[in-house]
Amino acid sequence: MKGFTLIELMVVVVIFALFSVTLMGLLLATLRGSNKAQLTQVLHQEGDYALMNMARTIRQGKSAACGSGQITVENNDGGTIIFSRVLNESVYKIASNSSQFLTGTRGTVSNLAFTCYVNETGQTTVTLGFTLAAMSGVQVQEKFTQDFATSVSLRND
């Protein structure tokens, strides 16, 4: 009598099931890693963009006044730009008073801080920093937080 016994068929089915579970685990791990890498890249670009724009504006400003969680920069033409953290569409973003958002919706901003001090030569230096974190809706494996900070001296003091 030719053919397979029931035990042989069950062994083959179990081997295929284990193989399938292993492949699904690898596929899911690859997808999670890809999503986290993409989210990390987007948040890093958003943070760098915000930091670069604020630093450029401060550097070119005539004067700067730091407050609690915000900075007011006076331009050479007499206008002012205020950078602060605002709540927009359930996400904290960095914005200027010109209603321009410097960060997007993929991350939320916390710990936005500005410190102004005048050195012995009379030049104003501003330190600024903030934390950008992935929104709480992402999976635990995709959590990401990045700190951004720099110091800028006003050129037009």
Side-chain angles (χ1 to χ4, degrees):
M1 192 164 147
K2 293 190 175 194
F4 297 104
T5 64
L6 182 59
I7 292 177
E8 291 172 332
L9 288 174
M10 287 176 54
V11 168
V12 169
V13 168
V14 168
I15 290 172
F16 277 130
L18 290 174
F19 184 67
S20 298
V21 167
T22 303
L23 282 178
M24 288 300 290
L26 286 172
L27 177 65
L28 289 175
T30 302
L31 288 175
R32 285 185 189 133
S34 173
N35 287 344
K36 184 171 184 173
Q38 187 178 33
L39 180 63
T40 301
Q41 180 182 10
V42 167
L43 289 181
H44 193 72
Q45 287 174 344
E46 285 184 9
D48 283 345
Y49 176 77
L51 196 64
M52 178 190 67
N53 276 309
M54 288 188 292
R56 182 186 54 211
T57 301
I58 292 167
R59 188 176 298 113
Q60 295 173 351
K62 181 177 178 182
S63 66
C66 296
S68 60
Q70 73 176 31
I71 186 169
T72 303
V73 180
E74 182 182 352
N75 295 332
N76 289 324
D77 62 3
T80 59
I81 297 176
I82 301 171
F83 292 110
S84 61
R85 183 179 84 135
V86 297
L87 183 61
N88 179 268
E89 299 175 7
S90 303
V91 177
Y92 281 102
K93 300 178 181 182
I94 296 176
S96 67
N97 59 334
S98 64
S99 299
Q100 177 185 4
F101 294 110
L102 301 179
T103 55
T105 59
R106 298 287 304 267
T108 188
V109 175
S110 61
N111 304 324
L112 179 63
F114 300 95
T115 305
C116 298
Y117 59 93
V118 179
N119 62 20
E120 53 277 347
T121 63
Q123 186 177 32
T124 302
T125 301
V126 177
T127 60
L128 58 124
F130 61 93
T131 301
L132 192 57
M135 289 301 300
S136 59
V138 299
Q139 296 180 358
V140 175
Q141 299 88 346
E142 297 174 359
K143 296 278 184 195
F144 176 73
T145 301
Q146 176 74 44
D147 294 320
F148 296 88
T150 192
S151 292
V152 182
S153 295
L154 276 72
R155 291 183 181 166
N156 296 326
D157 273 348

